[in-house]
Amino acid sequence: MTPGSKPTRFVFVLMPGYSALSFAHAMVVLKLANKHMDDTPFEVVVTSEGAEPVVDSLGGTYPIDHGFEDPQRDDYICLITGDDIEKQNLSAVSAYLRKAHRIGATICGLYTGAFVLAKLGLLDGKRATIHWEKRQAFMEEFPEVDLTEYTYTSAAPPFCSSGGTSAIDLLLYLLSQLRDEKLANLVAGFLNYTSIRVIQHSARMQTADRVGFRHPKLSEILALMETNLEEPLRPSDLAKTVNISTRQLERLFRRYLNATPKKYYTELRLQRAQQLLLQTNMTVTGVGVACGFNTASHFSRLFRARFGTSPHRLRGESEKE
């Protein structure tokens, strides 16, 4: 961009309960970029439905510039959403985003923003990412979207980031495209970020990382379990895949997880079932099947023992909220 030319405009669209962390990270990248650029700075606009104050995930608010006014073709529109986006009225923001997409604006969905973009069909056949807590529900509702575990997507718009520091990753990537990599790395340095993460990596910590160990065989087994919940693998098949015996498999689970492979696998499937009941409109029977339970009675019995309530009651309670 040459001096005196029209500034690139970033329009932040805030939804109720939006991720304060994603918003702050994106804003500080642009602020630092403007501070250290020699040419025309980026213009930053913050919007909400009706220009009304919006409470973020920490209970705070940020000054709103205006409502959902006409988007411009060269805009970068950053939709920032929160944990309960699937329960919100999306009519106004949907109309705004449809218009922005129609005129060629670049749309980005931060944190759980991919949910809204998928609802609008803007991600059909495209790569997307979302916060890992919403991943299972998203895959069930939008099978036509190529959902990845990357921290952000950059192959083609709409772009997405998955929460946390991934907003920094995405904004640094956009800086490198709109200006150059030198500016992006300069901003990264001021943030104590080593550099742009060109090689994207998983948005969700793997199970092995979360429980604090680094046994490679067990890490591989846990990854197999997490990606085969609908049709669970037998312990013997898991062991064979990583070239160990079933007895060795059982010893690993006892030592590192204090559980049998069967018990741990069942826990993963029940946790997924709980997420699907709370975050999707799938039937209870459908949830049971999606989580590898062959009969409704077996699913209900295990679910009640784990969570102290039945799947039907949990679904009823979630619908009343």
Side-chain angles (χ1 to χ4, degrees):
M1 180 177 291
T2 58
S5 61
K6 183 180 178 182
T8 300
R9 189 169 76 152
F10 279 83
V11 181
F12 287 91
V13 179
L14 305 184
M15 297 295 290
Y18 68 91
S19 169
L21 189 60
S22 292
F23 180 54
H25 281 157
M27 289 286 279
V28 76
V29 168
L30 293 175
K31 181 178 180 180
L32 286 170
N34 281 347
K35 181 179 180 181
H36 296 285
M37 277 196 303
D38 296 327
D39 58 2
T40 307
F42 295 111
E43 180 183 354
V44 178
V45 177
V46 181
T47 70
S48 69
E49 183 176 352
E52 293 293 325
V54 183
V55 178
D56 65 25
S57 57
L58 297 178
T61 59
Y62 190 88
I64 303 298
D65 295 310
H66 55 66
F68 295 156
E69 298 180 358
D70 288 344
Q72 301 172 16
R73 180 179 180 181
D74 296 328
D75 282 349
Y76 280 73
I77 297 175
C78 299
L79 171 68
I80 308 184
T81 51
D83 289 329
D84 63 347
I85 185 61
E86 63 270 12
K87 300 177 182 178
Q88 295 179 18
N89 185 337
L90 303 177
S91 57
V93 72
S94 294
Y96 175 73
L97 293 173
R98 282 195 187 96
K99 185 171 185 179
H101 178 71
R102 190 165 56 248
I103 66 173
T106 301
I107 300 174
C108 308
L110 280 61
Y111 193 61
T112 58
F115 179 88
V116 181
L117 304 185
K119 277 278 189 184
L120 296 175
L122 302 185
L123 294 175
D124 289 0
K126 296 185 178 181
R127 179 167 290 183
T129 190
I130 197 168
H131 191 268
W132 67 265
E133 286 187 313
K134 301 290 186 181
R135 181 174 172 78
Q136 296 294 340
F138 187 96
M139 288 192 297
E140 293 291 341
E141 186 163 355
F142 306 110
E144 65 279 5
V145 178
D146 179 15
L147 189 67
T148 77
E149 290 190 346
Y150 292 156
T151 59
Y152 70 103
T153 60
S154 59
F159 302 120
C160 302
S161 72
S162 60
T165 56
S166 67
I168 297 177
D169 293 326
L170 177 57
L171 267 292
L172 289 176
Y173 167 76
L174 295 178
L175 285 189
S176 71
Q177 300 302 301
L178 290 167
R179 294 295 194 275
D180 54 49
E181 193 166 317
K182 181 179 178 181
L183 174 64
N185 283 323
L186 177 65
V187 171
F190 275 96
L191 291 171
N192 286 327
Y193 234 53
T194 54
S195 63
I196 303 173
R197 288 192 269 188
V198 178
I199 301 177
Q200 303 173 6
H201 43 95
S202 177
R204 183 185 181 187
M205 293 171 58
Q206 295 300 313
T207 304
D209 296 324
R210 295 199 302 275
V211 298
F213 59 82
R214 296 293 187 274
H215 194 289
K217 295 286 187 182
L218 188 51
S219 297
E220 189 175 349
I221 293 165
L222 296 178
L224 284 169
M225 285 182 167
E226 291 193 353
T227 54
N228 291 276
L229 298 180
E230 186 171 352
E231 296 182 6
L233 301 173
R234 295 177 300 178
S236 58
D237 293 330
L238 290 168
K240 185 177 180 180
T241 301
V242 299
N243 297 315
I244 62 174
S245 69
T246 303
R247 180 173 291 184
Q248 287 175 306
L249 176 73
E250 292 171 348
R251 283 203 299 265
L252 285 175
F253 272 79
R254 282 198 304 269
R255 177 179 177 184
Y256 291 102
L257 296 169
N258 194 31
T260 64
K262 181 179 179 181
K263 181 178 179 181
Y264 190 87
Y265 212 163
T266 300
E267 174 67 15
L268 287 180
R269 292 155 57 205
L270 289 171
Q271 288 178 359
R272 182 187 183 189
Q274 183 191 45
Q275 291 175 351
L276 294 178
L277 288 168
L278 291 171
Q279 298 174 9
T280 73
N281 293 321
M282 293 174 64
T283 66
V284 171
T285 300
V287 169
V289 171
C291 298
F293 298 102
N294 294 326
T295 66
S297 59
H298 181 57
F299 172 43
S300 183
R301 183 171 65 256
L302 291 176
F303 193 92
R304 184 187 294 275
R306 173 61 179 83
F307 297 109
T309 188
S310 71
H312 286 280
R313 178 164 293 183
L314 181 66
R315 165 50 57 77
E317 290 173 352
S318 68
E319 290 175 348
K320 294 174 184 176
E321 293 177 352

